[in-house]
Amino acid sequence: MAVLVHQVARPNGWPAADQFSYVEVTTPEPGPGEALVENVYLSVDPYMREEMDERALGTPMEGRSIGRVVESRDPALPVGELVFHRQGWRSHAVVASGDVRVLRESQGVPLSAYLSLLGGTGLSAYVGLTRVARLQPGETVFISAAAGGVGSAAGQIARLLGAGRVIGSTGSAAKAEHLLKNLGFDAALDYRTGDLAAQLAAAAPEGVDVCLDNVGGDHLEAAIGAMRDRGRIAWCGAVAQYNTLTPPPAPRNLFDIVGKSLRLEGFLVRDHVHLQSELEDFLLPHIRSGHVVPDETVVVGLPNVVDAFLSMLRGGNTGKMIVKVAP
């Protein structure tokens, strides 16, 4: 039997476990030109909360997944092949070769990294820093939600790109310590202690050149206030408003973008998938050497995917939240 995790109701604010249902079905059989994949890892991401407001009910949550081919009628996907696909929260998926990316296991590189540093979160960080903000060596970088999937990748990538100072914000003293001790940040701000703008100004007395923002709201306002003239803000996400019925007020200092000649640009990683091989060429040597660490929280078992999702939305993870489905 196969298991699908369906969304069965829409949230009103924060999502809840009873808005999902685990459904057992007969394990599907691949048709001509198809392969059956048994999933090994599933991704859990903040953007899925937005998807819950729009996607069709009674269907599995879409998302990045890694699986191994267990039955095949496609010569391009032999049994045993590892593939990346986007069929989301389920134990098994029927795929075609044109809809997957074949993964090659590499010594010193955990398979789960293809959902974290080498996945959409790592690619978001890489695109934001290299293509949108165009980080230059020696510049000061501020990363919001720095202990999450994108943020933890961005801090390490910024260091590899030659950033002079890397500052991150997070939601607890323990996570701030993790950023400093394990991920190479120069300063870590606990926004829950209050006055984020003052904390950022103290951490970057000469100003911030580049910001990768995953939060919006008060974090974006603090970033605008701290930016140096002609600074660049790459806006990746807005977790401050995903679960609120009333969006937070826009930053009160938006006109400073004009006064400081700043550039604020939003982006979607799906527009930059052509950079996947570039990301891998850039990061793989550093992962193998141990210089860069895939920062992950791994929850074991498909029955725990909903709990993992809800925990991630409330900050229960450090790094990328991943669910391990099968050995």
Side-chain angles (χ1 to χ4, degrees):
M1 299 293 287
V3 177
L4 310 176
V5 186
H6 285 182
Q7 180 188 345
V8 295
R10 300 206 186 282
N12 184 27
W14 287 92
D18 61 6
Q19 291 156 2
F20 297 90
S21 176
Y22 290 83
V23 180
E24 285 193 355
V25 298
T26 302
T27 303
E29 295 185 3
E34 295 179 333
L36 175 66
V37 169
E38 182 180 17
N39 284 330
V40 179
Y41 290 106
L42 302 179
S43 182
V44 173
D45 296 288
Y47 81 86
M48 292 173 173
R49 171 59 188 86
E50 289 187 291
E51 291 287 311
M52 290 184 71
D53 292 331
E54 300 176 359
R55 63 178 295 101
L57 298 180
T59 60
M61 185 75 79
E62 179 272 349
R64 302 177 181 95
S65 312
I66 293 172
R68 193 178 295 276
V69 176
V70 293
E71 185 178 346
S72 180
R73 298 181 65 184
D74 181 352
L77 295 174
V79 170
E81 198 81 278
L82 280 165
V83 299
F84 172 96
H85 65 90
R86 295 199 62 115
Q87 290 199 34
W89 293 4
R90 60 181 79 206
S91 63
H92 296 76
V94 173
V95 303
S97 57
D99 300 324
V100 303
R101 186 171 86 249
V102 174
L103 302 178
R104 302 299 177 193
E105 294 181 87
S106 178
Q107 186 173 4
V109 180
L111 182 59
S112 57
Y114 286 94
L115 291 181
S116 59
L117 271 176
L118 301 174
T121 50
L123 187 58
S124 294
Y126 184 75
V127 167
L129 292 173
T130 64
R131 295 311 198 272
V132 181
R134 298 174 188 173
L135 174 64
Q136 300 300 307
E139 292 187 320
T140 295
V141 183
F142 171 55
I143 300 164
S144 64
V150 173
S152 62
Q156 296 185 85
I157 291 172
R159 182 65 69 207
L160 293 176
L161 293 172
R165 185 164 174 78
V166 182
I167 304 165
S169 69
T170 188
S172 73
K175 288 185 177 181
E177 185 177 9
H178 174 66
L179 295 179
L180 295 172
K181 288 189 173 182
N182 302 321
L183 299 183
F185 281 71
D186 296 294
L189 318 177
D190 179 359
Y191 68 86
R192 295 187 190 276
T193 63
D195 204 344
L196 177 63
Q199 290 188 62
L200 181 55
E206 297 182 4
V208 171
D209 299 290
V210 165
C211 170
L212 181 66
D213 185 31
N214 300 287
V215 179
D218 60 345
H219 281 70
L220 182 55
E221 182 173 308
I224 292 172
M227 299 299 291
R228 301 178 65 186
D229 287 357
R230 293 177 177 79
R232 292 90 66 203
I233 303 172
W235 198 358
C236 183
V239 294
Q241 68 185 63
Y242 290 162
N243 299 295
T244 58
L245 298 177
T246 302
R252 295 165 295 179
N253 56 352
L254 274 177
F255 193 67
D256 285 357
I257 292 175
V258 176
K260 295 182 176 183
S261 300
L262 305 180
R263 181 163 59 83
L264 169 62
E265 182 178 345
F267 69 97
L268 295 171
V269 70
R270 68 188 183 203
D271 296 329
H272 301 273
V273 293
H274 61 284
L275 297 175
Q276 178 66 37
S277 60
E278 180 178 315
L279 173 74
E280 294 180 14
D281 290 344
F282 177 68
L283 283 181
L284 278 170
H286 298 292
I287 296 174
R288 292 191 188 103
S289 70
H291 189 62
V292 170
V293 179
D295 195 24
E296 302 168 354
T297 297
V298 179
V299 173
V300 178
L302 182 59
N304 297 315
V305 67
V306 172
D307 289 342
F309 173 61
L310 300 178
S311 173
M312 178 271 304
L313 290 177
R314 294 191 179 275
N317 59 300
T318 55
K320 178 75 180 72
M321 180 69 92
I322 296 172
V323 174
K324 185 176 183 179
V325 181

